[in-house]
């Protein structure tokens, strides 16, 4: 069973984020409504488009998603 995107993203958390994915990970951790068990691109994308005010750009999510797909194959 593949791990959720949220679980994958948490490995990028850092107290002093040095890049946009680390900042995304920190912010997603603080977002109590984030779909923590999802591994579905469309569900996550739709959620972030409506609720991801902490993302500067959806391209950050897309970059993290590509890393997730590469890692989880």
């Amino acid at each position: 069973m593949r791990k959720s995107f949220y679980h994958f993203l948490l490995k990028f958390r850092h107290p002093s984020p040095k890049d946009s994915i680390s900042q995304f990970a920190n912010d997603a951790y603080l977002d109590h409504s984030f779909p923590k068990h999802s591994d579905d691109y469309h569900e996550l994308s739709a959620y972030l488009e409506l609720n991801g005010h902490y993302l500067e750009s959806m391209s950050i999510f897309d970059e993290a998603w590509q890393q997730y797909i590469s890692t989880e194959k």
Side-chain angles (χ1 to χ4, degrees), residues 29-48:
Y29 176 76
L30 296 173
D31 180 355
H32 298 292
S33 297
F34 193 92
K36 294 175 176 61
H37 301 290
S38 181
D39 63 357
D40 181 78
Y41 175 86
H42 298 291
E43 177 184 4
L44 291 161
S45 179
Y47 174 82
L48 289 168

mmCIF file with all atom_site columns, all heavy atoms in Angstrom, residues 29-48:
data_model
loop_
_atom_site.group_PDB
_atom_site.id
_atom_site.type_symbol
_atom_site.label_atom_id
_atom_site.label_alt_id
_atom_site.label_comp_id
_atom_site.label_asym_id
_atom_site.label_entity_id
_atom_site.label_seq_id
_atom_site.pdbx_PDB_ins_code
_atom_site.Cartn_x
_atom_site.Cartn_y
_atom_site.Cartn_z
_atom_site.occupancy
_atom_site.B_iso_or_equiv
_atom_site.pdbx_formal_charge
_atom_site.auth_seq_id
_atom_site.auth_comp_id
_atom_site.auth_asym_id
_atom_site.auth_atom_id
_atom_site.pdbx_PDB_model_num
ATOM 1   N N   . TYR A 1 29 ? 1.062   20.761 7.486   1.00 0.00 ? 29 TYR A N   1
ATOM 2   C CA  . TYR A 1 29 ? 1.042   20.183 8.825   1.00 0.00 ? 29 TYR A CA  1
ATOM 3   C C   . TYR A 1 29 ? 0.123   20.981 9.753   1.00 0.00 ? 29 TYR A C   1
ATOM 4   O O   . TYR A 1 29 ? -0.590  20.415 10.587  1.00 0.00 ? 29 TYR A O   1
ATOM 5   C CB  . TYR A 1 29 ? 2.455   20.133 9.386   1.00 0.00 ? 29 TYR A CB  1
ATOM 6   C CG  . TYR A 1 29 ? 2.541   19.645 10.799  1.00 0.00 ? 29 TYR A CG  1
ATOM 7   C CD1 . TYR A 1 29 ? 2.404   18.292 11.108  1.00 0.00 ? 29 TYR A CD1 1
ATOM 8   C CD2 . TYR A 1 29 ? 2.752   20.537 11.849  1.00 0.00 ? 29 TYR A CD2 1
ATOM 9   C CE1 . TYR A 1 29 ? 2.471   17.842 12.415  1.00 0.00 ? 29 TYR A CE1 1
ATOM 10  C CE2 . TYR A 1 29 ? 2.829   20.098 13.155  1.00 0.00 ? 29 TYR A CE2 1
ATOM 11  C CZ  . TYR A 1 29 ? 2.688   18.747 13.437  1.00 0.00 ? 29 TYR A CZ  1
ATOM 12  O OH  . TYR A 1 29 ? 2.761   18.303 14.734  1.00 0.00 ? 29 TYR A OH  1
ATOM 13  N N   . LEU A 1 30 ? 0.130   22.292 9.598   1.00 0.00 ? 30 LEU A N   1
ATOM 14  C CA  . LEU A 1 30 ? -0.699  23.160 10.437  1.00 0.00 ? 30 LEU A CA  1
ATOM 15  C C   . LEU A 1 30 ? -2.152  23.241 9.969   1.00 0.00 ? 30 LEU A C   1
ATOM 16  O O   . LEU A 1 30 ? -3.012  23.727 10.699  1.00 0.00 ? 30 LEU A O   1
ATOM 17  C CB  . LEU A 1 30 ? -0.092  24.570 10.478  1.00 0.00 ? 30 LEU A CB  1
ATOM 18  C CG  . LEU A 1 30 ? 1.288   24.667 11.120  1.00 0.00 ? 30 LEU A CG  1
ATOM 19  C CD1 . LEU A 1 30 ? 1.860   26.067 10.956  1.00 0.00 ? 30 LEU A CD1 1
ATOM 20  C CD2 . LEU A 1 30 ? 1.239   24.256 12.590  1.00 0.00 ? 30 LEU A CD2 1
ATOM 21  N N   . ASP A 1 31 ? -2.425  22.758 8.754   1.00 0.00 ? 31 ASP A N   1
ATOM 22  C CA  . ASP A 1 31 ? -3.769  22.777 8.178   1.00 0.00 ? 31 ASP A CA  1
ATOM 23  C C   . ASP A 1 31 ? -4.521  21.525 8.648   1.00 0.00 ? 31 ASP A C   1
ATOM 24  O O   . ASP A 1 31 ? -4.355  20.439 8.094   1.00 0.00 ? 31 ASP A O   1
ATOM 25  C CB  . ASP A 1 31 ? -3.668  22.801 6.648   1.00 0.00 ? 31 ASP A CB  1
ATOM 26  C CG  . ASP A 1 31 ? -5.002  22.817 5.955   1.00 0.00 ? 31 ASP A CG  1
ATOM 27  O OD1 . ASP A 1 31 ? -6.052  22.708 6.638   1.00 0.00 ? 31 ASP A OD1 1
ATOM 28  O OD2 . ASP A 1 31 ? -5.010  22.924 4.715   1.00 0.00 ? 31 ASP A OD2 1
ATOM 29  N N   . HIS A 1 32 ? -5.345  21.678 9.674   1.00 0.00 ? 32 HIS A N   1
ATOM 30  C CA  . HIS A 1 32 ? -6.016  20.520 10.279  1.00 0.00 ? 32 HIS A CA  1
ATOM 31  C C   . HIS A 1 32 ? -7.068  19.892 9.370   1.00 0.00 ? 32 HIS A C   1
ATOM 32  O O   . HIS A 1 32 ? -7.506  18.768 9.633   1.00 0.00 ? 32 HIS A O   1
ATOM 33  C CB  . HIS A 1 32 ? -6.625  20.924 11.620  1.00 0.00 ? 32 HIS A CB  1
ATOM 34  C CG  . HIS A 1 32 ? -5.595  21.369 12.608  1.00 0.00 ? 32 HIS A CG  1
ATOM 35  N ND1 . HIS A 1 32 ? -4.678  20.514 13.159  1.00 0.00 ? 32 HIS A ND1 1
ATOM 36  C CD2 . HIS A 1 32 ? -5.313  22.599 13.104  1.00 0.00 ? 32 HIS A CD2 1
ATOM 37  C CE1 . HIS A 1 32 ? -3.875  21.181 13.966  1.00 0.00 ? 32 HIS A CE1 1
ATOM 38  N NE2 . HIS A 1 32 ? -4.232  22.454 13.943  1.00 0.00 ? 32 HIS A NE2 1
ATOM 39  N N   . SER A 1 33 ? -7.441  20.581 8.304   1.00 0.00 ? 33 SER A N   1
ATOM 40  C CA  . SER A 1 33 ? -8.432  20.033 7.372   1.00 0.00 ? 33 SER A CA  1
ATOM 41  C C   . SER A 1 33 ? -7.787  19.370 6.159   1.00 0.00 ? 33 SER A C   1
ATOM 42  O O   . SER A 1 33 ? -8.498  18.834 5.300   1.00 0.00 ? 33 SER A O   1
ATOM 43  C CB  . SER A 1 33 ? -9.362  21.150 6.889   1.00 0.00 ? 33 SER A CB  1
ATOM 44  O OG  . SER A 1 33 ? -10.075 21.681 7.965   1.00 0.00 ? 33 SER A OG  1
ATOM 45  N N   . PHE A 1 34 ? -6.471  19.418 6.052   1.00 0.00 ? 34 PHE A N   1
ATOM 46  C CA  . PHE A 1 34 ? -5.781  18.834 4.899   1.00 0.00 ? 34 PHE A CA  1
ATOM 47  C C   . PHE A 1 34 ? -6.176  17.364 4.769   1.00 0.00 ? 34 PHE A C   1
ATOM 48  O O   . PHE A 1 34 ? -6.218  16.642 5.772   1.00 0.00 ? 34 PHE A O   1
ATOM 49  C CB  . PHE A 1 34 ? -4.256  18.951 5.082   1.00 0.00 ? 34 PHE A CB  1
ATOM 50  C CG  . PHE A 1 34 ? -3.481  18.666 3.834   1.00 0.00 ? 34 PHE A CG  1
ATOM 51  C CD1 . PHE A 1 34 ? -3.134  19.702 2.980   1.00 0.00 ? 34 PHE A CD1 1
ATOM 52  C CD2 . PHE A 1 34 ? -3.096  17.379 3.507   1.00 0.00 ? 34 PHE A CD2 1
ATOM 53  C CE1 . PHE A 1 34 ? -2.412  19.454 1.816   1.00 0.00 ? 34 PHE A CE1 1
ATOM 54  C CE2 . PHE A 1 34 ? -2.379  17.116 2.354   1.00 0.00 ? 34 PHE A CE2 1
ATOM 55  C CZ  . PHE A 1 34 ? -2.042  18.162 1.503   1.00 0.00 ? 34 PHE A CZ  1
ATOM 56  N N   . PRO A 1 35 ? -6.461  16.897 3.546   1.00 0.00 ? 35 PRO A N   1
ATOM 57  C CA  . PRO A 1 35 ? -6.858  15.488 3.349   1.00 0.00 ? 35 PRO A CA  1
ATOM 58  C C   . PRO A 1 35 ? -5.666  14.544 3.577   1.00 0.00 ? 35 PRO A C   1
ATOM 59  O O   . PRO A 1 35 ? -4.947  14.178 2.660   1.00 0.00 ? 35 PRO A O   1
ATOM 60  C CB  . PRO A 1 35 ? -7.362  15.434 1.906   1.00 0.00 ? 35 PRO A CB  1
ATOM 61  C CG  . PRO A 1 35 ? -6.923  16.698 1.258   1.00 0.00 ? 35 PRO A CG  1
ATOM 62  C CD  . PRO A 1 35 ? -6.554  17.674 2.317   1.00 0.00 ? 35 PRO A CD  1
ATOM 63  N N   . LYS A 1 36 ? -5.457  14.181 4.822   1.00 0.00 ? 36 LYS A N   1
ATOM 64  C CA  . LYS A 1 36 ? -4.255  13.468 5.242   1.00 0.00 ? 36 LYS A CA  1
ATOM 65  C C   . LYS A 1 36 ? -4.133  12.039 4.710   1.00 0.00 ? 36 LYS A C   1
ATOM 66  O O   . LYS A 1 36 ? -3.034  11.502 4.655   1.00 0.00 ? 36 LYS A O   1
ATOM 67  C CB  . LYS A 1 36 ? -4.172  13.464 6.763   1.00 0.00 ? 36 LYS A CB  1
ATOM 68  C CG  . LYS A 1 36 ? -3.964  14.860 7.331   1.00 0.00 ? 36 LYS A CG  1
ATOM 69  C CD  . LYS A 1 36 ? -4.007  14.853 8.833   1.00 0.00 ? 36 LYS A CD  1
ATOM 70  C CE  . LYS A 1 36 ? -3.716  16.196 9.425   1.00 0.00 ? 36 LYS A CE  1
ATOM 71  N NZ  . LYS A 1 36 ? -4.618  17.261 9.088   1.00 0.00 ? 36 LYS A NZ  1
ATOM 72  N N   . HIS A 1 37 ? -5.223  11.444 4.328   1.00 0.00 ? 37 HIS A N   1
ATOM 73  C CA  . HIS A 1 37 ? -5.171  10.041 3.892   1.00 0.00 ? 37 HIS A CA  1
ATOM 74  C C   . HIS A 1 37 ? -5.259  9.882  2.376   1.00 0.00 ? 37 HIS A C   1
ATOM 75  O O   . HIS A 1 37 ? -5.269  8.766  1.871   1.00 0.00 ? 37 HIS A O   1
ATOM 76  C CB  . HIS A 1 37 ? -6.285  9.242  4.562   1.00 0.00 ? 37 HIS A CB  1
ATOM 77  C CG  . HIS A 1 37 ? -6.190  9.277  6.053   1.00 0.00 ? 37 HIS A CG  1
ATOM 78  N ND1 . HIS A 1 37 ? -5.187  8.637  6.747   1.00 0.00 ? 37 HIS A ND1 1
ATOM 79  C CD2 . HIS A 1 37 ? -6.926  9.926  6.988   1.00 0.00 ? 37 HIS A CD2 1
ATOM 80  C CE1 . HIS A 1 37 ? -5.322  8.862  8.034   1.00 0.00 ? 37 HIS A CE1 1
ATOM 81  N NE2 . HIS A 1 37 ? -6.377  9.659  8.210   1.00 0.00 ? 37 HIS A NE2 1
ATOM 82  N N   . SER A 1 38 ? -5.266  10.977 1.670   1.00 0.00 ? 38 SER A N   1
ATOM 83  C CA  . SER A 1 38 ? -5.476  10.919 0.219   1.00 0.00 ? 38 SER A CA  1
ATOM 84  C C   . SER A 1 38 ? -4.175  10.680 -0.551  1.00 0.00 ? 38 SER A C   1
ATOM 85  O O   . SER A 1 38 ? -3.113  11.179 -0.188  1.00 0.00 ? 38 SER A O   1
ATOM 86  C CB  . SER A 1 38 ? -6.105  12.222 -0.270  1.00 0.00 ? 38 SER A CB  1
ATOM 87  O OG  . SER A 1 38 ? -6.329  12.157 -1.657  1.00 0.00 ? 38 SER A OG  1
ATOM 88  N N   . ASP A 1 39 ? -4.313  9.926  -1.627  1.00 0.00 ? 39 ASP A N   1
ATOM 89  C CA  . ASP A 1 39 ? -3.229  9.770  -2.596  1.00 0.00 ? 39 ASP A CA  1
ATOM 90  C C   . ASP A 1 39 ? -3.769  10.067 -4.002  1.00 0.00 ? 39 ASP A C   1
ATOM 91  O O   . ASP A 1 39 ? -3.234  9.609  -4.997  1.00 0.00 ? 39 ASP A O   1
ATOM 92  C CB  . ASP A 1 39 ? -2.598  8.378  -2.519  1.00 0.00 ? 39 ASP A CB  1
ATOM 93  C CG  . ASP A 1 39 ? -3.554  7.255  -2.873  1.00 0.00 ? 39 ASP A CG  1
ATOM 94  O OD1 . ASP A 1 39 ? -4.749  7.534  -3.139  1.00 0.00 ? 39 ASP A OD1 1
ATOM 95  O OD2 . ASP A 1 39 ? -3.127  6.091  -2.887  1.00 0.00 ? 39 ASP A OD2 1
ATOM 96  N N   . ASP A 1 40 ? -4.846  10.860 -4.035  1.00 0.00 ? 40 ASP A N   1
ATOM 97  C CA  . ASP A 1 40 ? -5.517  11.196 -5.290  1.00 0.00 ? 40 ASP A CA  1
ATOM 98  C C   . ASP A 1 40 ? -5.195  12.641 -5.691  1.00 0.00 ? 40 ASP A C   1
ATOM 99  O O   . ASP A 1 40 ? -5.533  13.584 -4.962  1.00 0.00 ? 40 ASP A O   1
ATOM 100 C CB  . ASP A 1 40 ? -7.026  11.021 -5.125  1.00 0.00 ? 40 ASP A CB  1
ATOM 101 C CG  . ASP A 1 40 ? -7.772  11.334 -6.402  1.00 0.00 ? 40 ASP A CG  1
ATOM 102 O OD1 . ASP A 1 40 ? -7.768  10.477 -7.299  1.00 0.00 ? 40 ASP A OD1 1
ATOM 103 O OD2 . ASP A 1 40 ? -8.332  12.446 -6.505  1.00 0.00 ? 40 ASP A OD2 1
ATOM 104 N N   . TYR A 1 41 ? -4.567  12.796 -6.840  1.00 0.00 ? 41 TYR A N   1
ATOM 105 C CA  . TYR A 1 41 ? -4.140  14.111 -7.312  1.00 0.00 ? 41 TYR A CA  1
ATOM 106 C C   . TYR A 1 41 ? -5.305  15.093 -7.396  1.00 0.00 ? 41 TYR A C   1
ATOM 107 O O   . TYR A 1 41 ? -5.203  16.230 -6.939  1.00 0.00 ? 41 TYR A O   1
ATOM 108 C CB  . TYR A 1 41 ? -3.462  13.988 -8.678  1.00 0.00 ? 41 TYR A CB  1
ATOM 109 C CG  . TYR A 1 41 ? -3.107  15.328 -9.279  1.00 0.00 ? 41 TYR A CG  1
ATOM 110 C CD1 . TYR A 1 41 ? -1.907  15.952 -8.960  1.00 0.00 ? 41 TYR A CD1 1
ATOM 111 C CD2 . TYR A 1 41 ? -3.977  15.978 -10.159 1.00 0.00 ? 41 TYR A CD2 1
ATOM 112 C CE1 . TYR A 1 41 ? -1.571  17.194 -9.489  1.00 0.00 ? 41 TYR A CE1 1
ATOM 113 C CE2 . TYR A 1 41 ? -3.652  17.214 -10.697 1.00 0.00 ? 41 TYR A CE2 1
ATOM 114 C CZ  . TYR A 1 41 ? -2.455  17.811 -10.358 1.00 0.00 ? 41 TYR A CZ  1
ATOM 115 O OH  . TYR A 1 41 ? -2.139  19.041 -10.873 1.00 0.00 ? 41 TYR A OH  1
ATOM 116 N N   . HIS A 1 42 ? -6.408  14.655 -7.967  1.00 0.00 ? 42 HIS A N   1
ATOM 117 C CA  . HIS A 1 42 ? -7.547  15.556 -8.189  1.00 0.00 ? 42 HIS A CA  1
ATOM 118 C C   . HIS A 1 42 ? -8.186  16.016 -6.877  1.00 0.00 ? 42 HIS A C   1
ATOM 119 O O   . HIS A 1 42 ? -8.557  17.182 -6.737  1.00 0.00 ? 42 HIS A O   1
ATOM 120 C CB  . HIS A 1 42 ? -8.566  14.915 -9.114  1.00 0.00 ? 42 HIS A CB  1
ATOM 121 C CG  . HIS A 1 42 ? -8.006  14.625 -10.469 1.00 0.00 ? 42 HIS A CG  1
ATOM 122 N ND1 . HIS A 1 42 ? -7.667  15.621 -11.358 1.00 0.00 ? 42 HIS A ND1 1
ATOM 123 C CD2 . HIS A 1 42 ? -7.678  13.459 -11.076 1.00 0.00 ? 42 HIS A CD2 1
ATOM 124 C CE1 . HIS A 1 42 ? -7.165  15.080 -12.451 1.00 0.00 ? 42 HIS A CE1 1
ATOM 125 N NE2 . HIS A 1 42 ? -7.153  13.778 -12.304 1.00 0.00 ? 42 HIS A NE2 1
ATOM 126 N N   . GLU A 1 43 ? -8.304  15.104 -5.926  1.00 0.00 ? 43 GLU A N   1
ATOM 127 C CA  . GLU A 1 43 ? -8.854  15.472 -4.621  1.00 0.00 ? 43 GLU A CA  1
ATOM 128 C C   . GLU A 1 43 ? -7.952  16.503 -3.929  1.00 0.00 ? 43 GLU A C   1
ATOM 129 O O   . GLU A 1 43 ? -8.427  17.519 -3.414  1.00 0.00 ? 43 GLU A O   1
ATOM 130 C CB  . GLU A 1 43 ? -8.988  14.234 -3.734  1.00 0.00 ? 43 GLU A CB  1
ATOM 131 C CG  . GLU A 1 43 ? -9.487  14.546 -2.341  1.00 0.00 ? 43 GLU A CG  1
ATOM 132 C CD  . GLU A 1 43 ? -9.524  13.337 -1.420  1.00 0.00 ? 43 GLU A CD  1
ATOM 133 O OE1 . GLU A 1 43 ? -9.087  12.236 -1.825  1.00 0.00 ? 43 GLU A OE1 1
ATOM 134 O OE2 . GLU A 1 43 ? -9.987  13.506 -0.288  1.00 0.00 ? 43 GLU A OE2 1
ATOM 135 N N   . LEU A 1 44 ? -6.651  16.241 -3.935  1.00 0.00 ? 44 LEU A N   1
ATOM 136 C CA  . LEU A 1 44 ? -5.705  17.153 -3.281  1.00 0.00 ? 44 LEU A CA  1
ATOM 137 C C   . LEU A 1 44 ? -5.640  18.501 -3.988  1.00 0.00 ? 44 LEU A C   1
ATOM 138 O O   . LEU A 1 44 ? -5.629  19.554 -3.348  1.00 0.00 ? 44 LEU A O   1
ATOM 139 C CB  . LEU A 1 44 ? -4.317  16.505 -3.236  1.00 0.00 ? 44 LEU A CB  1
ATOM 140 C CG  . LEU A 1 44 ? -4.215  15.302 -2.300  1.00 0.00 ? 44 LEU A CG  1
ATOM 141 C CD1 . LEU A 1 44 ? -3.010  14.454 -2.647  1.00 0.00 ? 44 LEU A CD1 1
ATOM 142 C CD2 . LEU A 1 44 ? -4.166  15.762 -0.856  1.00 0.00 ? 44 LEU A CD2 1
ATOM 143 N N   . SER A 1 45 ? -5.610  18.467 -5.306  1.00 0.00 ? 45 SER A N   1
ATOM 144 C CA  . SER A 1 45 ? -5.543  19.696 -6.092  1.00 0.00 ? 45 SER A CA  1
ATOM 145 C C   . SER A 1 45 ? -6.778  20.566 -5.848  1.00 0.00 ? 45 SER A C   1
ATOM 146 O O   . SER A 1 45 ? -6.668  21.770 -5.634  1.00 0.00 ? 45 SER A O   1
ATOM 147 C CB  . SER A 1 45 ? -5.409  19.349 -7.573  1.00 0.00 ? 45 SER A CB  1
ATOM 148 O OG  . SER A 1 45 ? -5.364  20.509 -8.355  1.00 0.00 ? 45 SER A OG  1
ATOM 149 N N   . ALA A 1 46 ? -7.950  19.945 -5.872  1.00 0.00 ? 46 ALA A N   1
ATOM 150 C CA  . ALA A 1 46 ? -9.190  20.689 -5.634  1.00 0.00 ? 46 ALA A CA  1
ATOM 151 C C   . ALA A 1 46 ? -9.193  21.281 -4.232  1.00 0.00 ? 46 ALA A C   1
ATOM 152 O O   . ALA A 1 46 ? -9.589  22.443 -4.041  1.00 0.00 ? 46 ALA A O   1
ATOM 153 C CB  . ALA A 1 46 ? -10.398 19.773 -5.830  1.00 0.00 ? 46 ALA A CB  1
ATOM 154 N N   . TYR A 1 47 ? -8.760  20.498 -3.254  1.00 0.00 ? 47 TYR A N   1
ATOM 155 C CA  . TYR A 1 47 ? -8.708  21.012 -1.881  1.00 0.00 ? 47 TYR A CA  1
ATOM 156 C C   . TYR A 1 47 ? -7.787  22.233 -1.796  1.00 0.00 ? 47 TYR A C   1
ATOM 157 O O   . TYR A 1 47 ? -8.147  23.255 -1.212  1.00 0.00 ? 47 TYR A O   1
ATOM 158 C CB  . TYR A 1 47 ? -8.223  19.928 -0.904  1.00 0.00 ? 47 TYR A CB  1
ATOM 159 C CG  . TYR A 1 47 ? -8.035  20.482 0.479   1.00 0.00 ? 47 TYR A CG  1
ATOM 160 C CD1 . TYR A 1 47 ? -9.129  20.624 1.329   1.00 0.00 ? 47 TYR A CD1 1
ATOM 161 C CD2 . TYR A 1 47 ? -6.796  20.924 0.924   1.00 0.00 ? 47 TYR A CD2 1
ATOM 162 C CE1 . TYR A 1 47 ? -8.987  21.195 2.586   1.00 0.00 ? 47 TYR A CE1 1
ATOM 163 C CE2 . TYR A 1 47 ? -6.637  21.492 2.173   1.00 0.00 ? 47 TYR A CE2 1
ATOM 164 C CZ  . TYR A 1 47 ? -7.738  21.622 2.999   1.00 0.00 ? 47 TYR A CZ  1
ATOM 165 O OH  . TYR A 1 47 ? -7.591  22.196 4.239   1.00 0.00 ? 47 TYR A OH  1
ATOM 166 N N   . LEU A 1 48 ? -6.597  22.121 -2.365  1.00 0.00 ? 48 LEU A N   1
ATOM 167 C CA  . LEU A 1 48 ? -5.626  23.212 -2.277  1.00 0.00 ? 48 LEU A CA  1
ATOM 168 C C   . LEU A 1 48 ? -6.074  24.451 -3.049  1.00 0.00 ? 48 LEU A C   1
ATOM 169 O O   . LEU A 1 48 ? -5.799  25.579 -2.628  1.00 0.00 ? 48 LEU A O   1
ATOM 170 C CB  . LEU A 1 48 ? -4.256  22.740 -2.750  1.00 0.00 ? 48 LEU A CB  1
ATOM 171 C CG  . LEU A 1 48 ? -3.575  21.758 -1.788  1.00 0.00 ? 48 LEU A CG  1
ATOM 172 C CD1 . LEU A 1 48 ? -2.369  21.109 -2.454  1.00 0.00 ? 48 LEU A CD1 1
ATOM 173 C CD2 . LEU A 1 48 ? -3.186  22.459 -0.499  1.00 0.00 ? 48 LEU A CD2 1
#
